[in-house]
Amino acid sequence: MKIDPAAHQKMVEKRQEGHQKKQAAATREKGLLIVHTGTGKGKSTAAFGMAVRVLGHGMRLGVVQFIKGALHTAERDFLGSVAECDFVTMGDGYTWNTQDREADIATARKAWAEAERMIRSGDYQMVILDELNTVLKYAYLPLDEVLAVIGARDPMLHVVVTGRHAPEALLEAADLATEMRVIKHPYREQGIKAQQGVEF
Amino acid sequence: MKIDPAAHQKMVEKRQEGHQKKQAAATREKGLLIVHTGTGKGKSTAAFGMAVRVLGHGMRLGVVQFIKGALHTAERDFLGSVAECDFVTMGDGYTWNTQDREADIATARKAWAEAERMIRSGDYQMVILDELNTVLKYAYLPLDEVLAVIGARDPMLHVVVTGRHAPEALLEAADLATEMRVIKHPYREQGIKAQQGVEF
């Protein structure tokens, strides 16, 4: 592939112009409701990447894991050891391990109590609600109640919600929503098992 | 939404069965080539989330940032301070800031030398090549050379490549590829500017 230097320069100039125009128009700051959904990988992972960013700035972070507690211990070990991060795990692993809807609801309720406390406390700049979408999909928590608490948060607090099947009303309330879409998955296509450092 | 407990139990049992079948079929371990692409957010962020996972397991991590050096300092501050992580930043910010193709190629070449060293060294369990896709799209590096080095890596080494516009040949070589797709973006839709802890 050959690229003409003059054409390249023209292209980057045009891009820079567009970028500057957008930057000039974007002047507000506010706490964002961020949703990561879809069936691809990277929903929780991108949330934990934001955690790194937040902690790198010395901001305070709260994390509630609603479901994957039994799996995602590495994040907990690492982030939980940072003074600026409060990390709470409530879920007992995947829901199909429990097969007990009432127990799952009780767990979701306990996790939500922690989440609500974090959101209302004013102690954090970001609160990550990992796998809350899944909990909402199974109707373990009333969506209205969750939306009300998130909607009444401090205007500068960022809330990140992850999990497949984000409810439509949550996406409507969201400022930033991303779908992680599978292009290729080794688990499915090559019989590769979940591996340390990648999946857990 | 009402869910019948018996129907719920049947559903989770069926899911668990499917999950166990897949787990039984997935027995291999290997170093994965992982690609995060698409125009949505979360590509680099999910890579840094994997970094947390890897470091949480006490594994060694190498990171080369090809482009976003000027922006993503929080990740560098945080991860670069961890003993198990070698973090190298080469890019001078977005390419349209330099408007000099020859200088960009020289920078890409230097960054790639570091990446190649990390990949060949045997010192790491994961190497993250942040924004390499962008470098390949602009043809700052020859794709064949990049694919050859990645293809000849230790069979257990995970390599993560991020950036928009992943080349087709890289996606073909990938074990795991995810597209991050925009559902909603505050920058575009609400005039919200890039904020600490979210964008940088």
Side-chain angles (χ1 to χ4, degrees), chain A residues 16 28 30 45-46 53 57 75 99 171-172 174-175 177 179 181 183-184 190 193 195 198 200, chain B residues 16 28 30 45-46 53 57 75 99 171-172 174-175 177 179 181 183-184 190 193 195 198 200:
Chain A
Q16 189 174 34
R28 291 174 58 209
K30 69 177 253 198
T45 317
R53 212 167 274 166
H57 285 298
E75 288 93 334
Q99 305 200 356
L171 288 174
E172 270 166 39
D175 299 290
E179 179 195 351
R181 206 177 65 79
I183 299 176
K184 234 178 173 181
Q190 297 182 59
K193 69 179 185 179
Q195 293 178 96
V198 178
F200 60 92
Chain B
Q16 189 174 36
R28 292 173 59 208
K30 68 176 254 199
T45 318
R53 212 166 274 166
H57 285 298
E75 289 92 334
Q99 304 202 359
L171 288 173
E172 270 166 39
D175 299 291
E179 178 194 352
R181 204 176 67 77
I183 299 177
K184 233 177 175 183
Q190 297 182 59
K193 69 178 185 180
Q195 292 177 98
V198 178
F200 61 92

Side-chain angles (χ1 to χ4, degrees), chain A residues 58-71:
Chain A
M59 296 158 82
R60 285 193 61 88
L61 170 74
V63 182
V64 179
Q65 287 194 300
F66 280 82
I67 292 194
K68 282 197 188 153
L71 283 178

Side-chain angles (χ1 to χ4, degrees), chain A residues 55 59-61 78-87 124, chain B residues 78:
Chain A
L55 296 172
M59 296 158 82
R60 285 193 61 88
L61 170 74
F78 190 76
L79 295 175
S81 69
V82 179
E84 288 77 14
C85 179
D86 290 328
F87 201 108
Y124 307 91
Chain B
F78 190 76

